Amino acid sequence: MQHEKVVIIGSGPAGLTAALYTARANLDPLVITGEQIGGQVSITHEVENYPGFPEGIGGPELVENMRKQAERFGARILYDVVTEVNLAGGRPFRVKTYGGEYEADAVILTVGATPRKLGVPGETEFTGRGVSYCGTCDGFFFRGKDIVVVGGGDSAMEEGTFLTKFADKVEVIHRRDELRAGHTLQQRAFNNSKMGFIWDTVIEEIRGDDTVNAVRLHNLKTGDVYEHPTEGVFIFIGHDPNNALFEGQLAMDEKGYLVVDKHMMTSVPGVFAAGEIMDPIYRQVASSVGQGTQAAMSCERWLADQEDEATTEAAAPA
Ligand code: NAP
């Protein structure tokens, strides 16, 4: 089994920042990327609110820059997926991937979150055939088509507006009569002539033949149920933390996010967390970068304390 000082699981902004900081602290971190380096940012068309890029920067380019910067100081990037961890058993922590097995003196978890599903008939069946959770990935296929976007948050407005570059019409279906999204994104959506809004309404079913051709809608105020023709359904209704690996090992809140203390340490000493796996509120590239920094600095200090303790114990008279 390969021994590591620090293993970082996940390679979004939190993970790559933790890699940069632990690398610069000479901890020689190993980053295990997960299915896609960069996580959700790598499928974000444009990041407009990360400081330092006044014109915005493409998500994949930002990830690439972060990767290069971490590698420049010695971080090692392993393109593999973690299948099992043993954290509750204490040090050394054990991490199993498809390709190998590692033990680590400390672990930083930055595994992020996954888009939430609507859970209606037709959703699974038509995923990839009209149902999508990523405008950047799939928008191109809806050139000249009429589509719907589900959700009233920042993601729905941002992605919906982006999708008007391709689609002829983007109808936002929202379960209430006001949006949750921030003012700027709301105004941009309201001012876009290709966008429309269907309020107080939920999708009950996604229908089609080979691909989607309609959704059955239910107006929650009037009780009306009717069919709305559409060729695409883009779903942006929030995220769930990717916590499956840690169930029964680390403390989580009622929504499944990892609980950390002010040093970003989880309920197991030596295991730290940053980014969307522990943050249900801010969920920004900038906040994930900050949390990754904090986790890495805490990790470095914690490891130094462990070494000091070990040295003191060794020097103590028997
Ligand atoms: P969100 O803020 O949680 O919004 C989810 C939206 O989906 C809400 O409007 C919610 O309705 C709706 N929804 C939830 N479950 C639903 C269901 N089962 N059926 C129908 N509708 C449902 O999620 P988000 O938009 O992904 O944003 C998450 C976080 O990331 C936020 O903090 C946001 O500020 C941030 N973010 C920021 C940016 C940016 O700054 N550029 C971009 C994207 C995301 P209700 O409103 O009725 O609850």
Side-chain angles (χ1 to χ4, degrees), residues 11 25 36 41 63 76 101 113 115 140 153 157 164 229 254 273:
S11 58
Q36 174 149 32
V41 183
V63 169
R76 290 159 301 140
E101 227 170 310
F140 185 79
M157 293 313 108
T164 60
E254 69 286 355

Side-chain angles (χ1 to χ4, degrees), residues 49 152-155 158 174-176 180 237 281 283-284:
N49 51 8
D154 284 340
S155 299
E158 197 168 70
H174 184 37
R175 63 184 179 183
R176 294 186 294 133
R180 179 179 292 278
I237 58 167
I281 300 170
R283 307 188 60 255
Q284 303 294 298

Side-chain angles (χ1 to χ4, degrees), residues 67-84:
R67 178 189 66 75
K68 278 192 199 147
Q69 195 175 359
E71 281 186 329
R72 183 177 145 216
F73 294 102
R76 290 159 301 140
I77 311 281
L78 176 70
Y79 294 84
D80 202 345
V81 174
V82 172
T83 54
E84 210 180 308

Side-chain angles (χ1 to χ4, degrees), residues 209-280:
D209 298 318
D210 281 349
T211 55
V212 168
N213 59 27
V215 283
R216 193 175 78 223
L217 299 184
H218 179 186
N219 184 308
L220 298 172
K221 278 207 173 138
T222 64
D224 283 354
V225 174
Y226 59 100
E227 194 165 284
H228 176 88
T230 187
E231 290 172 281
V233 181
F234 282 81
I235 298 166
F236 305 111
I237 58 167
H239 296 80
D240 291 314
N242 295 325
N243 60 13
L245 286 170
F246 320 122
E247 266 168 30
Q249 299 199 51
L250 301 178
M252 298 176 191
D253 69 12
E254 69 286 355
K255 289 186 177 158
Y257 288 87
L258 294 183
V259 173
V260 296
D261 65 12
K262 65 180 180 184
H263 302 291
M264 314 304 278
M265 188 143 81
T266 68
S267 53
V268 171
V271 178
F272 301 82
E276 291 188 31
I277 185 61
M278 47 64 65
D279 170 22

Side-chain angles (χ1 to χ4, degrees), residues 82-111:
V82 172
T83 54
E84 210 180 308
V85 292
N86 184 344
L87 305 173
R91 293 216 292 169
F93 304 110
R94 288 171 193 263
V95 177
K96 217 178 199 175
T97 67
Y98 285 131
E101 227 170 310
Y102 305 84
E103 57 175 37
D105 295 333
V107 177
I108 303 178
L109 305 172
T110 61
V111 293

